[in-house]
Amino acid sequence: MKLFLFDHCPFCVRAMMLTGLKQLEVEWVYLLNHDVQSRLDKIGANQVPILQKPDGSYMAESLDIVAYLDHVDGQPVLLPSTQQAAIQHYLTESAYSSSRLLFPRDVCLGLPEFASDAAVDWFTQRKSAIIGISFDEALANTKTYLEGLYKCWPLLEDIRLPSSLDNRLSYDDVLLFPGLRNLTMVKGIEFSPHIRRYIDEVAQLTGVHLYAEVAL
């Protein structure tokens, strides 16, 4: 199997989590961010992740890919979601600050999907339009956006740790972890002790790398 993805994409991280959690033999193929045609050729849509199954066919939609990978060996391991409403509330409340912290950093860390100037330019133009400011301005206001993000931490203080579930993961983790993992690319970010432990536990179980060593 092959997984076509971007390293920074939260939807892609969902699939990455399952390949690591279950130790599946899945080749990760990083696409250039601006190479829309390669996505259209596979699934007729400009989206990632894309999974190429053993029969050569492709599938999209991150949660469908997660379910497929969880069941591919006949031994599913993910628990059902029990805290989806709380997680969605956090994602909604934190979106403004998170996007302004992450978009500018996505293109600065040497990620494979931004290996060309064209890929960086394509992403920069589209994402700066979404947040309504330049990436330079967003970076300059990091402190303000961190303050906004910190106000959201209490929304996650009741999120269950994998260690409280016999080191098992659930669909709650598939929804929550990718965004928190990406926030590790913000240098100096201060997670609450509970959230820090949550990130570390899920990363350990899935093998998904964090960004602390290259944080900006």
Side-chain angles (χ1 to χ4, degrees):
M1 291 185 288
K2 291 183 179 180
L3 184 65
F4 298 88
L5 72 165
F6 301 150
D7 193 80
H8 77 283
C9 171
F11 300 109
C12 296
V13 178
R14 293 173 176 180
M16 293 161 62
M17 292 170 69
L18 265 290
T19 64
L21 179 66
K22 304 199 69 174
Q23 296 293 295
L24 299 173
E25 293 187 9
V26 179
E27 178 185 356
W28 293 2
V29 180
Y30 292 100
L31 301 175
L32 286 171
N33 192 262
H34 71 301
D35 186 9
V36 176
Q37 192 60 49
S38 66
R39 276 97 76 182
L40 295 176
D41 290 343
K42 293 174 176 61
I43 59 171
N46 179 26
Q47 65 185 73
V48 287
I50 301 168
L51 181 70
Q52 185 175 24
K53 298 188 288 187
D55 64 4
S57 64
Y58 297 102
M59 70 180 302
E61 302 298 341
S62 62
L63 291 180
D64 291 342
I65 292 173
V66 164
Y68 177 86
L69 293 175
D70 193 26
H71 288 82
V72 70
D73 58 359
Q75 300 178 35
V77 298
L78 287 179
L79 298 169
S81 174
T82 61
Q83 296 182 297
Q84 185 173 353
I87 291 170
Q88 189 56 57
H89 182 46
Y90 160 76
L91 293 175
T92 299
E93 292 298 312
S94 65
Y96 180 90
S97 297
S98 293
S99 60
R100 286 155 179 79
L101 289 167
L102 295 179
F103 289 165
R105 289 169 170 81
D106 287 333
V107 298
C108 296
L109 303 184
L111 303 183
E113 58 265 35
F114 300 116
S116 72
D117 289 341
V120 172
D121 291 344
W122 194 85
F123 182 88
T124 301
Q125 290 175 12
R126 283 155 181 77
K127 297 302 185 181
S128 59
I130 289 174
I131 61 176
I133 55 175
S134 70
F135 280 5
D136 287 342
E137 186 177 352
L139 286 170
N141 285 283
T142 291
K143 182 179 179 181
T144 298
Y145 301 132
L146 280 175
E147 290 172 352
L149 189 64
Y150 294 159
K151 294 178 182 178
C152 299
W153 286 164
L155 300 176
L156 296 180
E157 286 308 305
D158 292 328
I159 293 299
R160 299 187 67 177
L161 299 171
S163 56
S164 72
L165 299 168
D166 295 323
N167 287 323
R168 296 185 65 184
L169 298 185
S170 73
Y171 275 91
D172 289 329
D173 304 306
V174 171
L175 296 175
L176 177 60
F177 174 74
L180 292 175
R181 172 261 194 177
N182 282 1
L183 286 169
T184 65
M185 67 174 63
V186 182
K187 188 174 183 178
I189 190 171
E190 297 178 1
F191 295 104
S192 73
H194 183 75
I195 296 173
R196 179 75 257 182
R197 183 176 176 184
Y198 173 84
I199 293 171
D200 290 342
E201 286 190 9
V202 179
Q204 178 66 33
L205 289 170
T206 61
V208 173
H209 68 92
L210 306 179
Y211 289 117
E213 292 185 359
V214 293
L216 174 66

